[in-house]
Amino acid sequence: NVYGLKAICRVTVMIHDVMAPAWGGIAGGIEICITFPTEYVKTQLQLDERANPPKYRGVVDCVRQTVKGHGVKGLYRGLSSLLYGSIPKSAVRFGVFEILSNRAKDESGRLDSTSGLLCGLGAGVMEAVLVVCPMETVKVKFIHDQTSGNPKYRGFFHGVREIVRSQGLRGTYQGLTATVLKQGSNQAIRFFVMTSLRNWYKGDNPNKALNPLVTGLFGAIAGAASVFGNTPLDVIKTRMQGLDAHKYKSTLDCALKILRNEGLAAFYKGTVPRLGRVCLDVAIVFIIYEEVVKGLNKVWKTE
């Protein structure tokens, strides 16, 4: 009986690991459709260099100019690249995190904050290499292309084809170092904060249920922490992936040129729209993911 119980537990964990990417992917797809306009504005502000001079005077001015020139649909330019990528991105993120965290939990099933940070770091690095870098490169190029006098990308597949034709597959992997640093620190911070808050809330009762509103609040706090912690890396990544990326010899060179030409404040361009988008992003994804997994666990236990 003991061996049978252990076998059932192992099968349950395996099923959870296999299904985690699917539910994470669904959550990611829903989230990006809701929050993309804030991502668009953030990217435009980060691409806007002082030396040009700046095209936008702030978040509201960016929205106003975009809607005036391209209509409301202009705020969704580049959505397809992020939507196609956000589903596998969230799938890799939650899949890798679940695999790592299931092996790091103690006998009571509790994951400590340090382990949460390390598991989040591993998930972030993996999603950066497999999904995020090419997805973000295409997204940034699409958004940057819209600001040019003669946009050359007619759609997602046409844009990807043109990028690969002119720059090779390497053209979809620009800013890889900055992306790995950004995504690794992103998920390390978010899962560290989320795990810490979850452990604090549950106290000595690891089986205490989390209300969806509490999960959303904790997710928003984790998202805000990651924004304030690594927006400079996000700015560098965006510059490295734009149409003017040829100006930079490396990630370090990009950082030094931004500092020299635009000052320290430039490393926090787009913080406001990014804060709005990321807080919603992390809150929505964690709520959907936790609730779907909770429902599936109930179904699994009753069968």
Side-chain angles (χ1 to χ4, degrees), residues 80 84 138 142 153-164:
S80 54
Y84 294 147
V138 173
F142 271 35
Y153 302 138
R154 296 193 299 270
F156 176 77
F157 294 107
H158 176 260
V160 171
R161 188 167 65 247
E162 287 298 303
I163 292 168
V164 173

Side-chain angles (χ1 to χ4, degrees), residues 14-290:
M14 286 173 61
I15 290 174
H16 194 270
D17 287 350
V18 170
M19 296 307 293
W23 311 130
I26 292 169
I30 294 171
E31 170 272 319
I32 200 60
C33 289
I34 295 171
T35 64
F36 186 79
T38 59
E39 176 70 14
Y40 174 90
V41 173
K42 178 217 74 170
T43 304
Q44 286 286 32
L45 292 176
Q46 289 180 348
L47 288 169
D48 200 22
E49 297 184 46
R50 179 183 295 172
N52 278 354
K55 181 179 179 181
Y56 306 112
R57 293 191 299 274
V59 174
V60 176
D61 185 53
C62 179
V63 173
R64 184 182 59 78
Q65 288 195 43
T66 300
V67 173
K68 182 179 178 181
H70 304 279
V72 174
K73 69 178 182 181
L75 293 170
Y76 284 88
R77 174 77 170 173
L79 171 63
S80 54
S81 61
L82 218 56
L83 183 59
Y84 294 147
S86 68
I87 295 175
K89 176 186 74 173
S90 293
V92 171
R93 176 189 304 169
F94 282 98
V96 172
F97 181 81
E98 287 294 335
I99 290 170
L100 295 176
S101 64
N102 280 334
R103 285 149 184 78
K105 290 176 181 176
D106 59 23
E107 295 80 7
S108 65
R110 185 176 181 275
L111 183 72
D112 64 62
S113 300
T114 303
S115 297
L117 184 146
L118 294 174
C119 294
L121 177 64
V125 170
M126 191 64 72
E127 72 175 9
V129 174
L130 295 180
V131 184
V132 176
C133 190
M135 174 191 79
E136 286 283 324
T137 301
V138 173
K139 179 209 75 177
V140 171
K141 287 184 185 297
F142 271 35
I143 293 175
H144 204 178
D145 179 59
Q146 182 170 292
T147 64
S148 63
N150 184 28
K152 58 185 178 181
Y153 302 138
R154 296 193 299 270
F156 176 77
F157 294 107
H158 176 260
V160 171
R161 188 167 65 247
E162 287 298 303
I163 292 168
V164 173
R165 185 180 63 80
S166 60
Q167 303 173 39
L169 281 175
R170 186 178 178 182
T172 64
Y173 265 89
Q174 291 179 325
L176 178 60
T177 301
T179 305
V180 168
L181 290 172
K182 178 210 165 188
Q183 292 303 122
S185 59
N186 248 355
Q187 304 316 323
I189 293 170
R190 290 175 192 176
F191 280 107
F192 171 79
V193 173
M194 195 69 187
T195 303
S196 300
L197 291 173
R198 187 184 282 132
N199 288 341
W200 166 78
Y201 182 81
K202 290 187 175 183
D204 296 327
N205 181 12
N207 295 318
K208 184 177 180 180
L210 257 72
N211 183 285
L213 291 177
V214 174
T215 300
L217 176 62
F218 288 174
I221 293 171
S226 69
V227 169
F228 291 119
N230 76 354
T231 288
L233 289 170
D234 191 43
V235 172
I236 295 168
K237 175 200 71 67
T238 299
R239 295 287 179 87
M240 292 287 290
Q241 293 171 336
L243 297 178
D244 296 328
H246 60 274
K247 297 192 300 186
Y248 310 115
K249 295 192 285 286
S250 65
T251 300
L252 179 60
D253 179 59
C254 178
L256 291 174
K257 283 184 176 176
I258 293 172
L259 179 62
R260 185 166 57 248
N261 298 329
E262 303 171 61
L264 277 172
F267 288 108
Y268 278 88
K269 281 187 173 182
T271 298
V272 174
R274 186 179 181 225
L275 186 64
R277 188 238 156 173
V278 169
C279 288
L280 274 173
D281 168 353
V282 182
I284 292 170
V285 169
F286 269 111
I287 289 173
I288 295 173
Y289 181 75
E290 294 280 352

